[in-house]
Amino acid sequence: MTVSRKQINFLRGWPTPGLLPTTLLSSASQRVLANQDEYTKMQEYGSCHGVTRLRKGLADWVGSHYGVTPNLERICITGGASQNLVCILQCFSDVNYTRAVWVVAPCYHLACGIFEDNGFAGRLYAVHEDDEGIDLETFDRQLQEFENQDKPNRDLKPFKQPSVERKLYRHLIYTVPTCSNPSGLTMSLSRREGLVRLARKYDGLVISDDVYDFLQWPLTAPVTPDRSAEMRLPRLCDIDRSMGPSDNDSRGFGHAVSNGSFSKMSGPSVRTGWAEASPPFITAIARTAATRSAGAPSQLCAAMLADVVENGQLQRFVDETVRPTLQRRHRLMMDAIDRHLSPLGVKARTSSLNGFETFGGYFVWLDMGGEVSTTFLAQVLKAEENVIIGHGQMFAVHGDEKRTNFTNSARLCFAWEAEQDIVDGIERIGQLLVRMKQNREHYLRLASTSYNIH
């Protein structure tokens, strides 16, 4: 029976209500809907590329952040990162021609289902990472071994009709290179460059979820609009662009796409994001059949966001509210971990980028140690303390769980629960770990007989 104490949910990766720019969106909505010429245009189907004002505003904002030349032809508006992942698969993958999907592990667990829904069940493979990101030597070896074993399938005819407007890739590589969900890790510059080179070598497309890039902060210094160089590492699509055309890409589609989202900056309900890649790649996404039929995704929300991006209000909200709030919440969680969990042998990642004092995103990744798996620990926590965590194996790659083992790991979100509940929840975890040590035989016996705790 679950205890009656208040539930504390560290699994939920939502922004706390104070991180929602409700007033900004309300005002923007009124401005957009007050002008008949504008609201008529916004309430119709719209351009497949999306609202031009938002594309231009994003090009300027993103260009300024990363130090690249703004180019709205490299950007289209999407219905969010998950929806756009589906569009990318529709345009650039084929169940016959695309031989494998490589997923950096631990991975964003809900992405695996999207690949499986698109015909790649049983063909997802885990890619190991260390403290700098992808282990490039191991990944290169994996790719080469796969190619050698897959030679009989190289001449399979694509299932989809060929098109000069699209390119099919032999390999897909999925990663969250900045403040990764779940690990919080940021991939170093050298690993980013190496990953793009591997994608070019093996005719791969790197799908980069860049949803946390603007949500970084220094560990100890005050948050300011200015960001240090380590918080502005080039995206994989920028690195790909800087390398020029590749030998197996004569039409200039490129080998990396940035998948962005407003969900963590303006609330998940806006269901709006953007993609950035080469102009041919972006045109192909914008012209997927569903978009051509239904028109630009998130047309009205995109118009509201265009307003607050264009006038700088959203950027200020991120710098003055979102980043400082996340910094404070992260510090509260880390201090509580130091007090209640570290003395019990639990280890936490302390910075996102190896060698630098920065962090970002929503999550802390723990090595719990101990004699039982975090799958079991999560069930006991819920039953005895009413605390919910993300156990490590939840973030293993579907179908390739044995390649990378996360049975002693756990993910905790510091963005959702009330600040005092963050502290109380960590204390409850510590109390359970103490009980488990004091009653070791009882819990080992429970773990060996059943995971079904009631």
Side-chain angles (χ1 to χ4, degrees):
M1 180 74 69
T2 302
V3 294
S4 60
R5 301 170 76 181
K6 175 184 179 182
Q7 184 175 95
I8 297 176
N9 191 335
F10 287 133
L11 175 60
R12 177 170 285 172
W14 294 10
T16 196
L19 294 176
L20 302 174
T22 307
T23 301
L24 291 186
L25 294 179
S26 175
S27 299
S29 159
Q30 292 177 43
R31 287 191 294 271
V32 167
L33 295 176
N35 183 317
Q36 184 174 2
D37 289 340
E38 185 166 3
Y39 71 65
T40 300
K41 186 165 48 178
M42 290 309 107
Q43 291 186 283
E44 296 291 356
Y45 286 104
S47 161
C48 290
H49 277 77
V51 176
T52 301
R53 282 178 61 201
L54 181 55
R55 292 170 63 215
K56 185 179 185 307
L58 277 169
D60 291 339
W61 184 13
V62 170
S64 174
H65 179 86
Y66 294 107
V68 297
T69 303
N71 182 358
L72 80 166
E73 298 305 317
R74 292 179 55 86
I75 293 175
C76 71
I77 306 305
T78 71
S82 295
Q83 180 266 356
N84 190 52
L85 177 54
V86 176
C87 288
I88 291 170
L89 296 178
Q90 289 175 341
C91 292
F92 297 105
S93 73
D94 180 274
V95 290
N96 282 345
Y97 188 85
T98 304
R99 302 307 306 153
V101 178
W102 305 89
V103 183
V104 179
C107 69
Y108 170 49
H109 58 301
L110 297 178
C112 292
I114 297 174
F115 289 109
E116 291 174 328
D117 282 351
N118 282 270
F120 293 105
R123 293 158 63 185
L124 275 62
Y125 302 96
V127 180
H128 175 70
E129 65 178 5
D130 58 24
D131 285 341
E132 282 194 61
I134 287 181
D135 180 341
L136 294 172
E137 290 186 9
T138 300
F139 187 31
D140 191 1
R141 191 161 55 248
Q142 281 180 266
L143 285 162
Q144 187 59 61
E145 290 173 356
F146 183 92
E147 285 290 328
N148 291 338
Q149 296 171 4
D150 197 55
K151 284 180 180 178
N153 298 314
R154 284 186 181 174
D155 296 326
L156 283 177
K157 287 186 62 176
F159 181 79
K160 295 178 180 178
Q161 292 294 321
S163 169
V164 296
E165 295 181 348
R166 297 178 180 179
K167 171 180 168 57
L168 299 178
Y169 293 85
R170 293 195 68 81
H171 296 272
L172 301 176
I173 305 162
Y174 176 78
T175 181
V176 187
T178 301
C179 307
S180 175
N181 175 5
S183 70
L185 179 70
T186 291
M187 194 184 302
S188 70
L189 177 58
S190 63
R191 298 293 178 88
R192 292 172 187 236
E193 293 171 341
L195 177 57
V196 173
R197 291 191 189 98
L198 285 180
R200 289 166 161 244
K201 178 180 177 181
Y202 291 99
D203 190 22
L205 170 66
V206 183
I207 304 170
S208 176
D209 260 1
D210 296 328
V211 297
Y212 301 109
D213 288 39
F214 292 118
L215 306 183
Q216 301 179 71
W217 56 86
L219 287 178
T220 55
V223 173
T224 68
D226 296 327
R227 291 169 171 83
S228 54
E230 60 268 21
M231 288 189 251
R232 298 175 183 266
L233 290 180
R235 293 167 301 171
L236 297 163
C237 69
D238 297 327
I239 293 170
D240 186 48
R241 172 168 53 171
S242 71
M243 291 181 179
S246 69
D247 293 339
N248 53 23
D249 182 30
S250 60
R251 290 175 287 164
F253 286 94
H255 290 272
V257 54
S258 174
N259 201 11
S261 174
F262 285 101
S263 291
K264 302 299 189 288
M265 295 185 285
S266 57
S269 68
V270 297
R271 311 313 305 151
T272 306
W274 70 95
E276 181 161 350
S278 70
F281 192 103
I282 290 302
T283 297
I285 293 179
R287 292 180 178 173
T288 55
T291 302
R292 294 183 73 178
S293 169
S298 302
Q299 179 82 334
L300 183 57
C301 284
M304 294 158 51
L305 290 165
D307 185 86
V308 294
V309 168
E310 195 173 66
N311 62 26
Q313 288 181 328
L314 184 60
Q315 293 91 315
R316 287 192 294 276
F317 180 77
V318 169
D319 288 335
E320 296 172 6
T321 300
V322 179
R323 293 171 64 219
T325 300
L326 291 175
Q327 181 196 49
R328 183 177 65 252
R329 289 168 151 270
H330 173 248
R331 186 71 265 155
L332 281 171
M333 178 172 279
M334 294 301 291
D335 286 345
I337 288 170
D338 286 343
R339 285 196 306 274
H340 302 293
L341 303 186
S342 295
L344 302 173
V346 176
K347 298 177 182 178
R349 182 181 302 283
T350 55
S351 69
S352 288
L353 183 60
N354 196 32
F356 293 89
E357 295 291 301
T358 62
F359 205 82
Y362 272 24
F363 306 104
V364 169
W365 187 242
L366 299 178
D367 178 359
M368 302 297 294
E371 297 180 276
V372 297
S373 72
T374 52
T375 305
F376 173 74
L377 178 64
Q379 295 191 1
V380 179
L381 267 173
K382 184 176 180 182
E384 297 188 11
E385 295 290 343
N386 211 6
V387 172
I388 299 176
I389 65 171
H391 64 81
Q393 283 304 98
M394 181 182 296
F395 307 99
V397 176
H398 292 189
D400 199 18
E401 290 87 354
K402 292 182 179 179
R403 189 185 300 271
T404 47
N405 189 328
F406 307 115
T407 55
N408 288 321
S409 300
R411 188 196 76 173
L412 306 184
C413 176
F414 51 82
W416 168 246
E417 289 288 4
E419 293 185 1
Q420 186 57 50
D421 289 339
I422 292 174
V423 177
D424 292 346
I426 298 298
E427 185 174 2
R428 289 194 212 172
I429 295 173
Q431 290 169 351
L432 174 63
L433 293 179
V434 169
R435 282 202 309 277
M436 292 179 77
K437 288 192 175 187
Q438 293 172 341
N439 300 279
R440 177 174 175 271
E441 295 303 323
H442 165 72
Y443 284 102
L444 287 178
R445 185 167 57 253
L446 193 61
S448 67
T449 56
S450 175
Y451 283 143
N452 297 315
I453 301 169
H454 300 288

